[in-house]
Amino acid sequence: GEDVEQSLFLSVREGDSSVINCTYTDSSSTYLYWYKQEPGAGLQLLTYIFSNMDMKQDQRLTVLLNKKDKHLSLRIADTQTGDSAIYFCAEDNYGQNFVFGPGTRLSVLP
Amino acid sequence: ETGVTQTPRHLVMGMTNKKSLKCEQHLGHNAMYWYKQSAKKPLELMFVYNFKEQTENNSVPSRFSPECPNSSHLFLHLHTLQPEDSALYLCASSRSGADGELFFGEGSRLTVL
């Protein structure tokens, strides 16, 4: 079946850029998503990219998609302590079959 | 505020209790989902309902029983649970079909003693 993989932990210093990476196996993915989960809360959609795009920028967030290598990344510029959370990569096929990665716990050090 | 509301936010129950988790969405979506999030494990899909019909049951034990009386409400009935069922249970909704962006509730944290 489809699989989504992420590294489990990332630590960065406040003000630095964070890059969270994700790989997936489903070549028929239509959308790829980044969700954020703060402590004690549910998942919130951060951003998403359609599979025919290479890059999407939204304020401090930059999503890069390499469809050939099935690699997705999320870059957070000027990382703040409020960005500390778990970030989930997810992919779907026309909303029929969401598959989530295990999540990357981002720790922002002062 | 995502438009998906889950109650209760926290629940502690014994192994012989019967309880229910409730999810409500005011987004006009037609698909609703139950996910389980355990520590150190990927998010697991449990059930999917499309237009009130269950379209997916991801090999979930029968001690979890979903109910979807209408497109806006989803329940998860719990009985004779095990301690390993302790987890965060997340409800989500989406439009069916293309652009199925998921909207998640805050989750119900369940502890089984």
Side-chain angles (χ1 to χ4, degrees), chain A residues 31 33 35 37 40-45 48 88 94-96 98 100 102, chain B residues 2 9 33 35 37 42-43 88 90 97-102 104-106:
Chain A
Y31 288 93
Y33 304 83
Y35 283 84
Q37 185 180 27
L43 296 174
Q44 283 195 299
L45 180 67
Y48 66 92
F88 290 87
Y94 288 106
Q96 296 303 309
F98 282 91
F100 284 83
Chain B
T2 63
R9 293 292 309 278
Y33 311 74
Y35 284 88
Q37 187 180 32
L43 204 63
L88 182 69
L90 290 162
D99 185 16
E101 177 188 334
L102 288 175
F104 283 87
E106 297 284 307

Side-chain angles (χ1 to χ4, degrees), chain B residues 25 28-32 49-52 71 93-96:
Chain B
Q25 56 94 3
H29 290 164
N30 296 312
M32 295 189 78
Y49 278 81
N50 270 291
F51 295 94
K52 301 187 298 177
S71 292
S93 70
S94 73
R95 289 189 293 153
S96 290

Side-chain angles (χ1 to χ4, degrees), chain B residues 71-110:
Chain B
S71 292
S72 301
H73 292 85
L74 184 65
F75 295 89
L76 187 63
H77 302 301
L78 316 168
H79 63 100
T80 59
L81 295 192
Q82 305 297 311
E84 60 264 29
D85 296 322
S86 298
L88 182 69
Y89 290 85
L90 290 162
C91 173
S93 70
S94 73
R95 289 189 293 153
S96 290
D99 185 16
E101 177 188 334
L102 288 175
F103 289 76
F104 283 87
E106 297 284 307
S108 294
R109 181 155 305 275
L110 173 67

Side-chain angles (χ1 to χ4, degrees), chain A residues 66-87:
Chain A
N66 181 329
K67 199 171 180 182
K68 174 176 167 289
D69 293 339
K70 299 191 185 70
H71 182 267
L72 182 74
S73 68
L74 173 69
R75 179 176 179 269
I76 305 173
D78 187 25
T79 313
Q80 303 298 308
T81 53
D83 295 323
S84 293
I86 303 176
Y87 291 82

Side-chain angles (χ1 to χ4, degrees), chain A residues 20-29 32 34 49-56 62-74 89 91:
Chain A
I20 304 172
N21 294 302
C22 168
T23 57
Y24 61 97
T25 58
D26 186 3
S27 56
S28 60
S29 296
L32 295 120
W34 285 104
I49 188 168
F50 191 52
S51 58
N52 68 354
M53 296 170 63
D54 298 323
M55 186 182 91
K56 181 178 179 182
T62 304
V63 179
L64 294 177
L65 174 61
N66 181 329
K67 199 171 180 182
K68 174 176 167 289
D69 293 339
K70 299 191 185 70
H71 182 267
L72 182 74
S73 68
L74 173 69
C89 170
E91 55 97 9

